[in-house]
Amino acid sequence: MSLLKLDLENYKDLLKEYIKTKDEQALYQAEQFSKHSMQQNISPEEIINIHIQALQEIYPDMPEYIQSSMNFLLETMISYGLAYQEYQTLREKQLELKSEISVAANMQKTLLSTVKPDLEDVEVGALSVPAKQMNGDYHHFVDDRQGTLGIAVADVIGKGVPAALCMSMIKYSMDSFSGMGTDPNVILGSLNRVVERNVDASMFITMFYGVYNSNKHTFTYSSAGHEPGFYYHKDRDEFEEIDVPGLVLGVSPEVTYKQYEKKVEKGDMIILLTDGVTECRQGDRFIEQEEILHVIKQYSHLPAQGIVEQVYKHFERLQDFQLRDDFTLIILRRNV
Amino acid sequence: MNLSIDVTNNEGVSNVVLTGEVDAFTAPKLKDTLLPLTKEKGQVVEVDFQDVNYMDSTGLGVFISALKSTKEHASTMRLVHMQDRVYRLFKITGLTEIINIESTVQGGM
């Protein structure tokens, strides 16, 4: 196809052709002409102007009233032209914003990145997938290389950018606690005071903090209103909900958290998650707890990382690949 | 999904009846309605959850703000007729300990 020229001559020829033949081909060319005009930022009233000029050239004796009606139409279209211009500007702005958010999202990734520890006796699988660009879920591993591994899983309520900013604050507070020992209840208590002082009243954070001691094979934990995880007993082949009371972070300054301890046997698993997993919906149907456990069990022959990935794929499929909420799943398994 | 909010005021008691879902889309509307009610000293704000079958964590945020506001302005808030699924959310987050909640008739079906 010849390159469409955006000029009066070309338009005049097309118009003439169409009036004469009523040919579909000419209409198709007209469509191409308008698409091309849009790319060149030609406004609607400019096209009408070209139309008027073409008409005048084709029909020099065009009646006066048609000429006037065309001028009338031209005036009418001016607002559309302005709206179109505005749309273009907004589109550019939107692209700009999008790229800024993606810079922020990358920065968040770097800031909040955590290294999945490589331990001898305990296998760790972890996966966190944001529903939108910025992740409101957070998980962090603290490996002291002397046999204790700290694991934090958190969910900021409120989504998107504010939640992500809040998460960065949590991460830096936790880093600054490094000299305070590793008791989960102490860590949650300190974080609660930081969050209570620093965030908006409608924002709060749920967090589960656990410490695995691979010398004693114990798991010590506390929860600040976080979605309950699960404990898998290998010997009984049974799951148990890790349901511990505790108020969410950021609501009341005088909260103390209780701490619990479990002896971990060979083959046992600790499953930590966020409500993006349990609040999964398939259409109007909520996913039941048993279904999550069933899926975990189905893949339990895989390495821990394989399990979390397969479980994610399962729920991603159920939700037609459209996550409603950030999804985080962590599995620890004692192998030796 | 939508949420309708009906407020009736009666001698120091505001009855707020919710119908629908409280989520990230409807929470701002709820917050705008609920918060001003809690700012009057001595006011009792009763929120009826009978017809709320789903609430997400953004909704919890609204009730946390409202709770803080009642403390600040010496008003009170209670949540009534809450369904199990919604109640679970308040329970997990520990909010049942600090918010006055009356859940729906358990096992009455």
Side-chain angles (χ1 to χ4, degrees), chain A residues 309-324:
Chain A
E309 277 163 19
Q310 290 305 323
V311 172
Y312 172 70
K313 277 187 191 147
H314 177 94
F315 288 112
E316 195 191 23
R317 265 198 308 273
L318 270 190
Q319 300 186 93
D320 287 330
F321 303 95
Q322 285 279 322
L323 284 194
R324 292 171 66 105

Side-chain angles (χ1 to χ4, degrees), chain A residues 108-119 122-127 138-145 148-152 171 175 305 330 332:
Chain A
Q108 188 202 19
K109 257 190 208 148
T110 320
L111 282 174
L112 301 184
S113 67
T114 186
V115 182
K116 203 184 77 179
D118 210 3
L119 303 176
V122 189
E123 199 193 345
V124 183
L127 185 71
Y138 168 69
H139 70 280
H140 189 62
F141 296 105
V142 187
D143 181 3
D144 76 348
R145 305 201 177 275
T148 63
L149 169 68
I151 307 143
K171 148 100 190 204
D175 285 351
Q305 188 61 34
I330 293 174
L332 267 84

Side-chain angles (χ1 to χ4, degrees), chain A residues 76-133:
Chain A
T76 319
M77 292 311 284
I78 285 177
S79 297
Y80 280 92
L82 289 176
Y84 179 66
Q85 262 177 16
E86 201 177 301
Y87 162 79
Q88 289 290 4
T89 323
L90 283 176
R91 236 174 81 146
E92 276 163 32
K93 270 200 188 137
Q94 195 208 14
L95 283 176
E96 241 172 68
L97 273 178
K98 228 179 171 173
S99 86
E100 262 183 52
I101 290 176
S102 101
V103 170
N106 275 328
M107 207 169 138
Q108 188 202 19
K109 257 190 208 148
T110 320
L111 282 174
L112 301 184
S113 67
T114 186
V115 182
K116 203 184 77 179
D118 210 3
L119 303 176
E120 273 179 32
D121 311 345
V122 189
E123 199 193 345
V124 183
L127 185 71
S128 186
V129 184
K132 297 210 179 98
Q133 273 192 317

Side-chain angles (χ1 to χ4, degrees), chain A residues 155 157-159 196 199-204 206 223-228 241 243-248 250-252 275 278-279 281 284 286-289 324-325, chain B residues 1 21 23-25 31 35 53-69 71-72 85 88-99:
Chain A
D155 187 357
I157 307 319
K159 291 182 169 58
E196 206 271 331
V199 303
D200 174 76
S202 64
M203 210 164 180
F204 63 90
T206 73
S223 172
H226 195 76
E227 184 68 26
E241 197 175 50
D243 188 8
V244 284
L247 186 63
V248 293
V251 174
S252 163
D275 63 0
T278 45
E279 288 283 304
R281 283 213 257 188
D284 273 344
F286 288 94
I287 307 300
E288 298 298 330
Q289 210 175 66
R324 292 171 66 105
D325 197 357
Chain B
M1 297 302 157
E21 298 195 350
D23 58 18
F25 298 103
K31 190 176 179 182
L35 241 47
N53 46 30
Y54 176 77
M55 184 166 94
D56 73 2
S57 37
T58 333
L60 281 184
V62 173
F63 290 99
I64 289 176
S65 316
L67 178 76
K68 286 181 176 173
S69 170
K71 294 209 166 128
E72 205 178 313
R85 180 170 277 282
R88 177 180 179 267
L89 205 58
F90 281 92
K91 178 100 179 95
I92 289 171
T93 46
L95 294 168
T96 43
E97 299 295 314
I98 56 168
I99 298 180

Side-chain angles (χ1 to χ4, degrees), chain B residues 11-49:
Chain B
E11 291 175 29
V13 182
S14 301
N15 278 295
V16 183
V17 180
L18 306 179
T19 312
E21 298 195 350
V22 186
D23 58 18
F25 298 103
T26 58
K29 185 168 107 179
L30 177 61
K31 190 176 179 182
D32 290 347
T33 314
L34 195 60
L35 241 47
L37 299 175
T38 60
K39 287 187 178 156
E40 208 156 312
K41 196 177 166 196
Q43 185 78 4
V44 178
V45 182
E46 186 176 281
V47 186
D48 193 326
F49 274 76

Side-chain angles (χ1 to χ4, degrees), chain A residues 11 24 43 47 59 63 83 103 110 134 186 192-193 195 200 250 255 262 297 300 315 319 326 332:
Chain A
Y11 188 89
E24 292 270 327
S43 66
I47 296 208
Y59 303 108
V103 170
T110 320
M134 308 278 271
V186 176
N192 178 55
R193 284 188 290 277
V195 176
D200 174 76
V255 185
K262 250 185 176 13
K297 210 164 165 183
S300 59
F315 288 112
Q319 300 186 93
D326 306 331
L332 267 84

